[in-house]
Amino acid sequence: MATARLDYVAPWWTYWLHNFPHFNFFFQTVDSTFKPEEASYQQSLIILACVGAVGLGVSLLVLAVYLVCLCCCRRDIDEDTKRPDTCCVTWVAIITGLIICSAVGVGFYGNSETNDGVYQMNYSLYNANRTLGNINNLVAGSLGNVETGLKQHLERLDEIFSTRPDYLQALRFMQLMVNNVIRELTVLPDINKTNFDLAAIADQTAFIEYYRWLIYLLLLILDLVICLAMCLGMAKHSQYLLITIMGFVILSLILSWASLGVDTATAVGISDFCVSPDKFIVNHTKDFLSADVAHYYLFCSPNLPNPFQQSLTTCQRSLTTMQIQIQGLLQFSVRVFPTAERDLLGIQRLLNSTEFSLHKLTALLDCRGLHKDYLDALMGVCYDGVEGLLYLSLFSLLAACALSAMLCVIFRVWTLMGSREKEYDDIDEEDPFNPQARRISYNPRRSNTHSFCSYTTSLGSQASLHPPPQSTSSVTSPPEYMNQSMLFGGTPRYENVPLIGRGSPPPSVRWPYGALVSLV
């Protein structure tokens, strides 16, 4: 068909994904036309999904190499190095956390876009399914009225008008019109199978989309919890928390690479459909829809004729002709055959009902309604749906790389925590700057140790002053000022020691003014 549709243009990203190389299991090039029933095309999508497995293998290999290098470098560290530099580890952890948070934001947007696109597609499918169901009901109802009701009334009128050849001739003409209506309604497409297929596709898609959306939501929340828990573990220096985080990071890493492969294969497959959806639909509906009918609804161009117009016009003319015949029989035959009035009025009611159904059927069979549903479904799956899958793929890639870096950070933090514990174990307990020295109990035998301060002064007033000898009771029980000082760290505080014995000048003495003058 040469007529082009201008109201739907596949987005550029579908062409980009459609041009991805397609290979089967033997690495032979496969046509990228959407053919889900062919084994070679299925193999090409499976190979695209294996990209996630390849990425996971590369990540685990890099982590293994990093871990081996970290262990080897740890053995070569100089024993004198007590405090390794943690600035680089801190910055890497911060950047990793920011990347994960950004990836989670991208993932939330992509998950919402994909869900909106699938919802729009399902809504359009259900709406089209409702339209096709109404068409089916109208066709079935009209056929029932014509085949059953009209024929019964005509058979009874044939017995009543058996003595009047002119009336019988009118009945024969009406029977011919009834046959025309039945024939034209029968040639309308059988849409029972189409109705069933659309409902089944919409139900299955809604079921899969619900669990897909839920799984991605849980994965996004898991990444956020992992990021927060890593910050808490590094702040608390908790090895058990880091071990738990490591297990969840490995789980999230596997899920991220798996989701990347699934999203890539799904996006490529949908893009192959979105590039040429008309060709796929025509090929899969040729068993119950003719090519002209399929093109009429897929393109809905003013240049395309309505394939049902001739049948609908024939039915309408036949019903109008029968209405004229019934009006004439009611006007002339009821005077002679009063019993025929009931059947003639019954035929008139059936003709009115059938004509009303025919008008509704004409409106429903117009291409504009179904074509709008078709375009809405394409917009949902090819624009929002594929775009959301691309954002989800970006989220999976960023999250996988950030989680790999996070594992490296956790390994490094683990080694730093181990070196810090070794540093604390190597501290000398006799070191006066060691915080543990404050917990050493006070030895009363050291109470008479002289201060580091000098006993001499510039005036030499302390030459004759000596600390008084300590009694036996002072040896057994330390003074009260020492007992109080031991409460504040275990070491006597020299600012509370009396002046004698500390090399401090004696208290000042007030001399009379005259004596001071005489000394001068």
Side-chain angles (χ1 to χ4, degrees):
M1 185 64 63
T3 304
R5 189 173 66 253
L6 300 178
D7 47 5
Y8 169 75
V9 177
W12 63 267
W13 53 81
T14 58
Y15 288 101
W16 178 65
L17 292 172
H18 178 68
N19 292 327
F20 270 24
H22 293 63
F23 299 101
N24 57 12
F25 290 160
F26 302 100
F27 295 98
Q28 297 175 352
T29 305
V30 179
D31 186 13
S32 59
T33 305
F34 186 68
K35 298 177 181 179
E37 68 280 356
E38 294 185 0
S40 59
Y41 184 81
Q42 296 175 1
Q43 293 174 6
S44 65
L45 295 182
I46 293 174
I47 290 178
L48 289 174
C50 292
V51 173
V54 174
L56 178 61
V58 172
S59 297
L60 295 179
L61 181 61
V62 171
L63 290 174
V65 173
Y66 177 80
L67 187 59
V68 171
C69 295
L70 191 63
C71 294
C72 295
C73 294
R74 184 181 178 184
R75 293 178 182 177
D76 298 337
I77 293 177
D78 189 8
E79 294 180 356
D80 296 335
T81 304
K82 297 296 184 180
R83 294 182 181 275
D85 188 13
T86 60
C87 181
C88 181
V89 178
T90 303
W91 278 108
V92 172
I94 293 174
I95 295 174
T96 302
L98 293 177
I99 292 176
I100 290 179
C101 293
S102 302
V104 169
V106 173
F108 272 110
Y109 178 77
N111 198 28
S112 177
E113 282 292 305
T114 305
N115 185 260
D116 292 341
V118 174
Y119 175 79
Q120 183 177 353
M121 184 191 70
N122 287 337
Y123 179 80
S124 301
L125 289 178
Y126 284 124
N127 195 18
N129 177 70
R130 190 181 305 109
T131 301
L132 295 176
N134 292 333
I135 293 174
N136 185 40
N137 294 332
L138 289 174
V139 173
S142 300
L143 280 175
N145 290 336
V146 176
E147 291 179 346
T148 304
L150 288 180
K151 284 187 175 182
Q152 290 179 356
H153 290 295
L154 290 176
E155 290 176 357
R156 284 195 293 266
L157 289 176
D158 188 71
E159 296 177 357
I160 295 173
F161 297 151
S162 58
T163 58
R164 294 292 302 267
D166 51 345
Y167 294 161
L168 291 176
Q169 185 178 2
L171 294 178
R172 299 293 182 273
F173 184 75
M174 291 179 61
Q175 184 65 42
L176 180 61
M177 296 295 103
V178 170
N179 293 333
N180 290 337
V181 173
I182 294 174
R183 184 182 67 254
E184 296 300 332
L185 291 177
T186 305
V187 298
L188 292 178
D190 186 10
I191 57 176
N192 288 327
K193 188 175 182 180
T194 307
N195 186 21
F196 172 78
D197 289 341
L198 288 180
I201 292 173
D203 293 337
Q204 187 176 5
T205 305
F207 177 80
I208 296 174
E209 171 59 20
Y210 172 76
Y211 286 101
R212 186 211 61 80
W213 174 85
L214 182 61
I215 290 173
Y216 265 103
L217 182 63
L218 295 177
L219 181 59
L220 294 169
I221 295 175
L222 177 63
D223 289 344
L224 285 179
V225 172
I226 287 174
C227 186
L228 296 177
M230 186 192 71
C231 297
L232 181 62
M234 294 181 63
K236 296 293 184 181
H237 302 285
S238 175
Q239 294 183 352
Y240 298 104
L241 184 57
L242 288 179
I243 292 175
T244 305
I245 295 171
M246 192 181 303
F248 282 104
V249 168
I250 294 174
L251 175 62
S252 181
L253 180 65
I254 296 173
L255 293 177
S256 297
W257 283 116
S259 64
L260 177 62
V262 174
D263 291 339
T264 303
T266 305
V268 171
I270 296 177
S271 298
D272 293 339
F273 167 78
C274 292
V275 168
S276 57
D278 304 328
K279 182 178 179 181
F280 174 78
I281 293 176
V282 170
N283 293 333
H284 284 74
T285 57
K286 60 184 179 181
D287 296 334
F288 52 90
L289 285 180
S290 59
D292 56 343
V293 173
H295 281 86
Y296 174 71
Y297 287 109
L298 294 177
F299 292 95
C300 195
S301 174
N303 299 326
L304 293 176
N306 189 346
F308 310 111
Q309 187 63 45
Q310 184 177 358
S311 299
L312 295 174
T313 303
T314 302
C315 290
Q316 184 66 42
R317 291 176 179 176
S318 300
L319 292 176
T320 304
T321 303
M322 286 189 284
Q323 287 280 15
I324 297 174
Q325 295 294 327
I326 290 298
Q327 290 291 338
L329 290 176
L330 284 174
Q331 184 177 0
F332 298 104
S333 65
V334 173
R335 302 175 185 175
V336 183
F337 304 99
T339 56
E341 183 178 6
R342 179 181 177 183
D343 292 316
L344 291 174
L345 292 177
I347 292 175
Q348 191 177 33
R349 286 192 299 267
L350 289 176
L351 291 176
N352 292 334
S353 177
T354 304
E355 190 172 3
F356 178 74
S357 299
L358 191 63
H359 285 297
K360 294 176 63 177
L361 184 61
T362 303
L364 291 176
L365 287 175
D366 187 77
C367 66
R368 288 174 292 182
L370 290 175
H371 182 68
K372 181 180 181 302
D373 295 332
Y374 172 66
L375 290 182
D376 291 341
L378 286 180
M379 293 294 181
V381 69
C382 297
Y383 279 81
D384 294 339
V386 178
E387 182 183 5
L389 288 176
L390 289 177
Y391 279 107
L392 288 178
S393 300
L394 179 61
F395 152 73
S396 300
L397 182 61
L398 292 177
C401 296
L403 290 172
S404 300
M406 182 181 292
L407 281 177
C408 297
V409 171
I410 293 175
F411 293 154
R412 182 59 178 165
V413 170
W414 184 275
T415 58
L416 293 178
M417 292 175 64
S419 62
R420 182 171 297 179
E421 290 180 357
K422 183 178 179 181
E423 174 188 350
Y424 286 153
D425 293 338
D426 294 340
I427 291 177
D428 188 7
E429 294 182 356
E430 298 299 331
D431 189 358
F433 296 98
N434 183 11
Q436 295 180 356
R438 298 179 181 178
R439 296 191 293 269
I440 302 176
S441 61
Y442 173 73
N443 188 0
R445 297 183 184 273
R446 301 178 182 177
S447 62
N448 56 358
T449 304
H450 294 288
S451 173
F452 292 102
C453 300
S454 174
Y455 286 102
T456 61
T457 61
S458 62
L459 295 177
S461 61
Q462 294 297 323
S464 62
L465 294 177
H466 302 282
Q470 296 181 357
S471 60
T472 306
S473 61
S474 66
V475 176
T476 58
S477 60
E480 181 181 0
Y481 67 85
M482 290 187 177
N483 290 334
Q484 294 177 356
S485 65
M486 290 172 66
L487 297 176
F488 299 92
T491 303
R493 300 180 63 180
Y494 290 100
E495 61 270 19
N496 294 331
V497 180
L499 297 176
I500 299 174
R502 293 184 58 188
S504 301
S508 62
V509 180
R510 294 191 179 186
W511 296 85
Y513 180 76
L516 181 60
V517 172
S518 63
L519 288 176
V520 174

